[in-house]
Amino acid sequence: MTPLTLYSWPTPNGIKASITLEELGIDYKIEPINISTNIQKEDWYLKINPNGRIPALLDGDQRVFESGAILLYLADKYDTDRKISYAPGSPEYVEQLSWLMFQMGGVGPMMGQAEHFRLFAGTRSEYGIERYIDETKRLYAVLDSRLRESAYLAGAKYTIADIANFSWVQIGPAALELNLGEWPALHKWVEEIRGREAVQRGIRIPKTDMTPEKMAVRFREFRARVDAMGNTDVP
Ligand SMILES: N[C@@H](CCC(=O)N[C@@H](CS)C(=O)NCC(=O)O)C(=O)O
């Protein structure tokens, strides 16, 4: 019986963990946490992730929360033949760590705020939309510049740093109407990673009735709702 249980939902943070597990080809159990029903705030779940968010991992009695920590934990413990990670102590490991933290501290939070203002806010704030979309674009340009000099973020090998950044960047066109064609190296990298079989499986875990097409329609409806409110920024 596998000791690994992933608590997740197919969101940008959730799929980082499922893609990593699929890439490693290890056995795990999936516990769907439908975040729209707020199970992630229930007491039993807070014992696994005190932050009340997905993803979280149990490995026997060991809990791991924060998607970046989950990726590093899985790489350290289960990627012994270094399929999708570099070994601690190597210069590439430090690059991998740096680009992983770049995603955790930059791309994820900034795109999260951009999505909040563009899709979910209870008011239309031009200031909030512009601030976080501009910051997202700046971060995309940083990734693009790295990918013009290196095949993958940490070096010549596809790693957990690519998985983490890909999981967020791939949603930019549908959610925020970003045109990846503006960043050609980033665009090429996204399409290549999207083509991997493990990624195709990972982005659909756990199974829901939400397809990418239905999601794109939902995002359009959300944007229209925010736009209908008109700009409410105080001048
Ligand atoms: N820094 C956390 C962020 C996790 C996070 O924000 N997860 C979102 C889904 S992408 C979530 O659980 N949202 C539900 C909520 O906020 O209650 C991580 O990387 O794991």
Side-chain angles (χ1 to χ4, degrees), residues 11-13 16 35 38 40-41 52-55 66-68 104:
T11 68
N13 287 316
K16 285 182 218 170
I35 54 175
N38 267 347
Q40 71 277 14
K41 312 295 180 202
R53 295 192 164 194
I54 62 98
E66 284 295 317
S67 55
M104 290 298 291

Side-chain angles (χ1 to χ4, degrees), residues 110-153:
M110 295 306 122
M111 283 189 73
Q113 293 303 316
E115 289 186 2
H116 170 78
F117 282 105
R118 194 65 194 92
L119 304 169
F120 307 120
T123 181
R124 189 181 199 288
S125 166
E126 195 55 41
Y127 178 82
I129 292 172
E130 240 182 74
R131 173 175 166 85
Y132 290 109
I133 290 194
D134 284 355
E135 181 60 4
T136 298
K137 289 182 172 177
R138 191 189 68 77
L139 294 167
Y140 280 19
V142 175
L143 288 169
D144 187 65
S145 155
R146 170 63 175 160
L147 293 166
R148 269 187 268 132
E149 64 179 25
S150 175
Y152 297 102
L153 293 172

Side-chain angles (χ1 to χ4, degrees), residues 36-212:
S36 66
T37 65
N38 267 347
I39 331 174
Q40 71 277 14
K41 312 295 180 202
E42 291 179 6
D43 285 349
W44 70 270
Y45 184 78
L46 295 178
K47 292 193 173 77
I48 303 169
N49 184 348
N51 195 29
R53 295 192 164 194
I54 62 98
L57 182 78
L58 268 186
D59 188 355
D61 293 334
Q62 179 70 60
R63 76 175 184 193
V64 196
F65 60 92
E66 284 295 317
S67 55
I70 294 172
L71 268 49
L72 284 170
Y73 176 83
L74 290 172
D76 284 353
K77 184 161 177 190
Y78 293 101
D79 193 18
T80 43
D81 53 4
R82 300 289 163 209
K83 191 176 165 215
I84 50 161
S85 63
Y86 283 103
S90 62
E92 291 93 344
Y93 177 86
V94 183
E95 275 296 304
Q96 174 186 285
L97 193 56
S98 302
W99 289 107
L100 180 61
M101 293 305 149
F102 173 86
Q103 187 284 306
M104 290 298 291
V107 176
M110 295 306 122
M111 283 189 73
Q113 293 303 316
E115 289 186 2
H116 170 78
F117 282 105
R118 194 65 194 92
L119 304 169
F120 307 120
T123 181
R124 189 181 199 288
S125 166
E126 195 55 41
Y127 178 82
I129 292 172
E130 240 182 74
R131 173 175 166 85
Y132 290 109
I133 290 194
D134 284 355
E135 181 60 4
T136 298
K137 289 182 172 177
R138 191 189 68 77
L139 294 167
Y140 280 19
V142 175
L143 288 169
D144 187 65
S145 155
R146 170 63 175 160
L147 293 166
R148 269 187 268 132
E149 64 179 25
S150 175
Y152 297 102
L153 293 172
K157 184 165 67 178
Y158 164 79
T159 68
I160 53 173
D162 299 290
I163 294 173
N165 282 280
F166 163 82
S167 297
W168 274 97
V169 173
Q170 55 94 29
I171 205 174
L176 300 171
E177 298 178 285
L178 295 173
N179 173 13
L180 290 185
E182 287 179 36
W183 305 277
L186 183 66
H187 193 193
K188 182 169 163 279
W189 169 91
V190 164
E191 293 313 321
E192 188 204 312
I193 295 174
R194 203 200 303 279
R196 295 176 69 91
E197 284 179 16
V199 171
Q200 281 301 311
R201 291 194 302 276
I203 60 179
R204 290 178 171 80
I205 290 173
K207 294 264 174 298
T208 69
D209 58 3
M210 191 52 76
T211 60

